[in-house]
Amino acid sequence: MKKINLYSISLVVAAVILIAIIIMIVMGNISGAGILFLSFFALLALGFSGYKMLNGLVFTTMIFAGVSAALYYPDLFTYVGDFKLTGLIIPLIQIIMFGMGTSMSIKDFAGVFKTPRGVMIGVAAQLLIMPLVGFGLAKASDFPPEIAAGIVLIGCSPSGVASNVMAYLAKANLALSITITSIATLLAPFLTPLLMKFLAGEFIEINVLDMMWSITKMIIIPIGAGLLFNKLFKTEWLDKAMPLVSMLAIGVIITIITAAGRDSLLDIGGILMILVLIHNIFGYGLGYGFAKLFKMEEQDARTIAIEVGMQNGGLASGIANSLGKIATMGLAPAVFGPLMNITGSILASYWHKRPPKKLSITDASGD
């Protein structure tokens, strides 16, 4: 009972703080609300953790706490002594990818042979829908070239582990989700640079070979090391620890990017958020429609919708950092990450309550 009271009290106090924040905004004193924002999101996360229905939003809420801290106190997240914290981004991504590798096995790729049609349609949807929508939004945005290129970049990135979690919650085809994520991730070192050259070449200069090598170091080598580790030294504690480590790493990455690009984000943050949200929602809708166009079952259509709509923002951030453009090109991925977790949780919750109907033998035969 005490725990329930603690969570309820946290939400009530968070609501009171939110009212205080709104009053400060109305009075034109938003610059002094830093501690209030941090307290609001921290208490909200604590409150959400006590309710099964809201538990999935805890991570995203903590991300917003980190973003608030970075916006109000950027100096804390830019340098430690003479060390520039953006130097942590690529190693953190490599840790995330290593963790992804330790959770995989060669058997995961057997899904390509078991459901080749679903995998081909899912990967094709990713390669067509999100890059083209990103390009359209970048062209329409009138943003500075490097920031516009970041919108294209998030569209050209593969899906990430978060999509697998949402597929599970949405009662979608988890095996198909894992296979699409795995294949799209392994194709990224080759396809992402080519797509960027073709779609973002007018915004920034893209060296395809350099980008291929950068992504290979961030993806192929760590995942390969993780697969090997999983084969030789399978341990339960690592399986339990890596998801938490990955979530913390993503949070740190987003906070560092926000601090690095603070000034640009304050100038165009609202518009960027709207465009990124449109990108994300279009991914869900067009991905679902694309699957239905090929007459895929409801469970598989949900899977492809989530795989298309949810992109690997961490990888996109790492690519931006490897190009030396983390404060501009890295902004769209930093905004996309928290937003897609919110929309993904809402969509997964909606579908969770509506289990997909299985086709009967009669339906499948067309009688």
Side-chain angles (χ1 to χ4, degrees):
M1 191 68 180
K2 289 182 179 179
K3 285 186 178 179
I4 295 175
N5 286 337
L6 174 63
Y7 301 134
S8 301
I9 290 169
S10 296
L11 291 175
V12 170
V13 175
V16 172
I17 292 175
L18 179 60
I19 292 170
I21 290 171
I22 293 171
I23 291 172
M24 291 187 73
I25 292 172
V26 170
M27 294 176 65
N29 190 26
I30 191 173
S31 60
I35 296 297
L36 290 179
F37 270 112
L38 286 173
S39 302
F40 168 69
F41 286 121
L43 287 167
L44 205 61
L46 177 60
F48 284 169
S49 68
Y51 298 91
K52 189 175 180 181
M53 204 164 95
L54 300 171
N55 195 264
L57 293 174
V58 172
F59 172 62
T60 302
T61 308
M62 292 306 297
I63 291 290
F64 278 112
V67 167
S68 299
L71 288 173
Y72 277 96
Y73 314 105
D75 292 345
L76 296 176
F77 306 99
T78 48
Y79 283 91
V80 172
D82 293 330
F83 178 71
K84 195 172 183 180
L85 291 178
T86 52
L88 293 174
I89 292 174
I90 290 177
L92 287 172
I93 291 167
Q94 290 170 327
I95 290 171
I96 294 169
M97 291 299 162
F98 175 81
M100 183 177 176
T102 60
S103 67
M104 294 164 60
S105 69
I106 301 301
K107 292 179 181 178
D108 291 326
F109 300 100
V112 178
F113 303 102
K114 290 179 181 177
T115 55
R117 183 170 176 270
V119 174
M120 288 176 64
I121 291 171
V123 173
Q126 274 200 356
L127 296 177
L128 288 171
I129 293 170
M130 292 302 272
L132 292 176
V133 173
F135 174 73
L137 291 171
K139 288 285 286 184
S141 69
D142 199 30
F143 285 156
E146 290 185 4
I147 295 176
I151 300 175
V152 181
L153 176 61
I154 193 66
C156 295
S157 299
S159 53
V161 178
S163 65
N164 306 150
V165 176
M166 297 306 170
Y168 171 75
L169 296 175
K171 296 186 182 296
N173 187 335
L174 180 58
L176 178 61
S177 175
I178 292 171
T179 304
I180 291 174
T181 297
S182 302
I183 298 300
T185 301
L186 293 177
L187 288 174
F190 313 103
L191 295 182
T192 296
L194 293 173
L195 286 168
M196 284 297 291
K197 180 70 174 178
F198 180 67
L199 296 173
E202 66 178 89
F203 299 115
I204 61 168
E205 184 179 349
I206 301 291
N207 186 310
V208 173
L209 292 178
D210 285 351
M211 188 179 286
M212 282 183 177
W213 175 234
S214 294
I215 302 175
T216 298
K217 288 188 291 185
M218 283 186 280
I219 291 183
I220 302 296
I221 295 174
I223 286 181
L227 279 166
L228 184 62
F229 190 94
N230 185 31
K231 180 74 174 175
L232 300 176
F233 312 104
K234 182 68 174 176
T235 54
E236 287 187 15
W237 69 265
L238 190 66
D239 290 341
K240 293 178 181 177
M242 283 313 301
L244 179 60
V245 170
S246 295
M247 286 192 293
L248 289 172
I250 291 169
V252 171
I253 289 169
I254 291 174
T255 302
I256 291 172
I257 294 169
T258 302
R262 176 183 180 272
D263 294 340
S264 296
L265 200 55
L266 290 176
D267 286 339
I268 53 119
I271 301 171
L272 181 61
M273 192 176 294
I274 291 170
L275 290 179
V276 163
L277 187 60
I278 291 170
H279 198 180
N280 176 224
I281 292 172
F282 267 51
Y284 296 136
L286 293 176
Y288 185 84
F290 191 86
K292 285 297 185 180
L293 184 67
F294 288 93
K295 304 187 184 304
M296 299 193 73
E297 291 186 30
E298 174 66 17
Q299 191 179 33
D300 293 343
R302 292 182 181 188
T303 305
I304 290 173
I306 292 169
E307 285 297 310
V308 173
M310 301 189 74
Q311 305 292 84
N312 192 333
L315 174 61
S317 301
I319 295 170
N321 188 60
S322 69
L323 296 174
K325 304 179 188 302
I326 193 63
T328 50
M329 198 172 172
L331 290 181
V335 173
F336 193 96
L339 283 180
M340 79 169 186
N341 280 306
I342 293 173
T343 58
S345 297
I346 293 170
L347 183 60
S349 178
Y350 174 81
W351 272 335
H352 183 81
K353 297 172 185 175
R354 295 162 180 78
K357 293 179 182 178
K358 295 285 187 181
L359 284 176
S360 65
I361 295 174
T362 304
D363 292 333
S365 65
D367 295 335

